[in-house]
Amino acid sequence: MISSENLFDRARRVIPGGVNSPVRAFRSVGGSPFFTKSADGCRLITADDRELIDYVCTWGPAIHGHNHPKIRQAVAEALEKGTSFGTPNPYEVTMAELLVELVPSVEKVRMVNSGTEATMSAIRLARGFTGRSKIIKFAGCYHGHVDSLLVKAGSGALTFGNPDSAGVPAGFAAETIVLPYNDETALREAFASNGEDIAGIIVESYPANCGLILPKPGFLQTMREICTSSGALLIFDEVMTGFRLALGGVQEVEGIKPDLTAMGKIIGGGLPVGAFGGRAEIMDCLAPEGKVYQAGTLSGNPLAMAAGIAALQLLKEEMPYNRLADAGAQIRDALLSAAKGKGIPLQVPQTGSMFALFFTENTVENFDHATSSETGHFKTIFHRALEAGVYLPPSPFETCFISTAHDKSAIDRTCEVLTASFNF
Ligand SMILES: *Cc1c(COP(=O)(O)O)cnc(C)c1O
């Protein structure tokens, strides 16, 4: 057996930080990451032969749990025919037809290889379509590691962003206006002073990358109205929420049609896939039809499409959303009552199979509320739960995910473990 410790030692010599995506390194909770050698259903098997009930679900994609037999079979069948063709293939057509059928605002769609590519391409398209340059984003929303979107809030509501990352020229970030989420006044002011220059708003329809933040009633509607009246495009980043809360994502739940939608995660069935789609008139501005360039050697890859199609068809067949929401509510209630029993202030925003923990008295409505909540308790609970066989995301600012493979005994066990972890 090669232990996680041994693997991490080797990894750190040849991979920056030992990981291929930063949050995997456990820096936000302390300690060293475990390595996973296999996964099945709701469980990960670590390199050290521990079994963990998994609430990261590969950061969202694994809504059917790990290694689902139908997805595996679909990939195996596609594999028999070859791994990549470089020409159009039949799977791409089926995938596009499914996305157009299921996502209310999507009339045409293009496949890419990650969520980052989807948001990056969507904002390029919004700029190309409108002939405008500025993009509004909200503090705390993550849209992948796109240069101009790696910007959070400056001091005031209308400050032009400063890059969060070294290597992003200030000029790129200057085209991004960062606003606080759930602040209608700031949104109106931004359009009042920059309206003519704003190509679009990009928003995580339910922000789920700084814990989980839900919109105040009417906030998304207001965004829709302002965009329509000013000629800017509304881009929903549903990379996380798409197919997670309903087949049609937040746009179906809220009854709001964005102009463009970025997708990813679940639509790949565990393989690297992203997509962006929207109104045909806008999508037809893409090359070769139009003047906005966008391309990808492996886009629409047959193995990835086969996995994604199987994942989406399973969701259509099973319609698991009520069942998933019940499990989410059960865990939320267990957490809230454990905290109450200890007199610890806790918020558990939960919708469907997504939930997060904020150790604070008040409802978290934006990034500042989220980042000012207490984080020490989360770290303690994270490590205690992990010790007891329950793997929560290794950061107080990530969302927990439940899959259809989390059966009653896994959920009950999780509630027990989490309750016992509240022993401060
Ligand atoms: C994960 C995520 C992305 C980035 O997707 P990658 O596949 O990691 O590039 C973009 N937007 C949101 C909302 C996400 O959750």
Side-chain angles (χ1 to χ4, degrees), residues 114-116 119 142-144 204 209 237 239-240 265:
S114 69
T116 298
T119 60
Y142 176 68
H143 303 292
E204 271 190 80
N209 281 287
D237 180 351
V239 171
M240 195 80 109
K265 298 197 167 125

Side-chain angles (χ1 to χ4, degrees), residues 123 126-127 133-137 149 175-177 199-200 202 235:
I123 63 172
R127 286 170 165 151
S133 61
K134 295 205 185 303
I135 296 286
I136 289 184
K137 82 172 281 285
L149 298 177
E175 298 299 328
T176 308
I177 301 171
I202 185 162
I235 306 167

Side-chain angles (χ1 to χ4, degrees), residues 22-67:
V23 74
R24 294 181 196 166
F26 276 30
R27 296 278 167 97
S28 310
V29 288
S32 308
F34 61 83
F35 282 61
T36 300
K37 64 177 183 188
S38 69
D40 198 67
C42 68
R43 290 184 172 78
L44 302 177
I45 311 295
T46 75
D48 319 288
D49 278 332
R50 294 196 62 215
E51 255 192 48
L52 303 172
I53 304 176
D54 178 23
Y55 288 91
V56 180
C57 286
T58 113
W59 305 94
I63 195 166
H64 300 294
H66 298 283
N67 207 14

Side-chain angles (χ1 to χ4, degrees), residues 340-365:
K340 198 163 174 213
K342 296 285 171 187
I344 294 165
L346 176 69
Q347 304 292 319
V348 186
Q350 174 258 334
T351 177
S353 53
M354 305 166 73
F355 64 94
L357 288 73
F358 288 121
F359 289 89
T360 179
E361 300 276 356
N362 302 311
T363 309
V364 171
E365 293 178 346

Side-chain angles (χ1 to χ4, degrees), residues 112-115 117 265 267-274 298-301 304-305:
V112 292
N113 306 292
S114 69
E117 272 186 72
K265 298 197 167 125
I267 65 167
L271 272 79
V273 178
L298 291 175
S299 296
N301 174 267
M305 294 302 98

